[in-house]
Amino acid sequence: MAAARVVGAMLPLADATRAVQEKRYLKSNLDFLGVGVPGIRKVVTETARIYDGLERDSALAWAQALWREPVHERRMAAIEVLRRYVGTLQPADLPLVEAWVREAHGWAYVDSLAGDVAGTIALDHASAWPLIDAWAVDEDFWVRRSALLTLLTGIRQGRPDYARFERYATPMLAEKEFFIRKAIGWVLRETSKKDPAYVAAWTQGHLDQMSGVTFREAVRRLPGAQAARLQSAYRKPAKP
């Protein structure tokens, strides 16, 4: 079975010292083997070659079998499986992604599930957006963060959705949660690589609402003159 093969291939790569350090860094209650992301990806890639030509249902079953056990590397490998077969996934698979986001509660899993998996599904299938729109107003801030990060795929492919970004991000500017503030800034930073004028204008229009972390990310990749102008105009909140 593919999941068992992945786990078996990861065991020789395990590092107990790394496992302790990563568990502490991620503040996770999962078990850790101590295998780095490059090792996990290599194992998934090699296993995928053995099971060449997997269809959607088989890929989903493989990913779910890996995710089922509360082990960090298994869950990272499950996400890698979804990433590898994301072109076969459908909007009907987004509830699974959402369930994993809710269970994960951590950027190490959420960011790839949203930015790589959900974002690609939505870009390929317009019917996915109503569910992601609902994520943007969910009570769980990791789900709200996921809504923002789904926009990254389109931005990187030159197909930004500015209207949707504004609809998601503007209400979230008032939030105190660091991971929301960072996500808004991250989306702006990525956008600025292709459309700095849009980012400069949007940032200028929301200076009085932006937290320090959002602002710093927004201007990080802007041309020097634009960044300097915004920095001079920005009034840093008392509690960024």
Side-chain angles (χ1 to χ4, degrees):
M1 195 177 164
R5 185 178 289 273
V6 167
V7 174
M10 286 196 296
L11 290 177
L13 305 177
D15 181 327
T17 301
R18 183 189 184 109
V20 171
Q21 293 171 342
E22 288 196 338
K23 183 178 178 72
R24 183 184 304 120
Y25 173 64
L26 293 175
K27 301 177 182 178
S28 173
N29 60 1
L30 298 178
D31 294 327
F32 281 69
L33 299 174
V35 182
V37 172
I40 295 169
R41 287 180 175 166
K42 183 172 185 285
V43 166
V44 170
T45 298
E46 291 173 348
T47 304
R49 290 188 185 127
I50 295 170
Y51 295 90
D52 185 42
L54 279 185
E55 296 184 356
R56 169 175 167 262
D57 288 348
S58 297
L60 286 169
W62 178 13
Q64 289 173 298
L66 284 165
W67 185 273
R68 193 170 296 125
E69 299 297 327
V71 178
H72 168 72
E73 288 79 4
R74 288 182 64 118
R75 294 194 169 181
M76 292 293 286
I79 295 169
E80 285 302 312
V81 171
L82 293 188
R83 288 178 72 247
R84 184 174 185 85
Y85 295 95
V86 70
T88 71
L89 301 183
Q90 302 290 324
D93 301 317
L94 282 174
L96 173 67
V97 175
E98 179 182 333
W100 287 10
V101 166
R102 292 185 187 280
E103 187 175 355
H105 274 89
W107 60 266
Y109 317 100
V110 167
D111 292 2
S112 189
L113 285 168
D116 297 331
V117 180
T120 301
I121 293 171
L123 202 62
D124 290 344
H125 305 278
S127 61
W129 284 113
L131 176 58
I132 296 170
D133 290 343
W135 290 0
V137 293
D138 195 89
E139 292 184 357
D140 187 331
F141 74 80
W142 289 112
V143 178
R144 296 197 301 279
R145 177 179 170 93
S146 295
L148 287 165
L149 298 187
T150 58
L151 300 172
L152 291 174
T153 304
I155 291 166
R156 289 166 178 160
Q157 293 188 21
R159 298 164 58 188
D161 188 338
Y162 293 147
R164 187 163 263 111
F165 165 70
E166 292 171 13
R167 192 161 72 247
Y168 290 179
T170 303
M172 293 190 205
L173 285 171
E175 295 200 27
K176 304 299 183 185
E177 173 54 53
F178 170 82
F179 287 103
I180 293 295
R181 292 176 165 187
K182 186 78 170 182
I184 298 170
W186 183 2
V187 173
L188 288 167
R189 186 186 73 211
E190 288 298 305
T191 302
S192 70
K193 295 176 183 179
K194 294 180 181 292
D195 193 349
Y198 171 82
V199 173
W202 198 86
T203 301
Q204 179 70 53
H206 296 84
L207 284 177
D208 60 338
Q209 300 167 272
M210 277 191 176
S211 70
V213 68
T214 301
F215 177 79
R216 286 190 293 272
E217 289 299 314
V219 302
R220 189 181 299 275
R221 297 296 183 91
L222 287 178
Q226 287 179 323
R229 176 173 55 79
L230 289 167
Q231 286 163 347
S232 66
Y234 179 64
R235 294 179 301 168
K236 186 176 180 180
K239 295 183 178 180

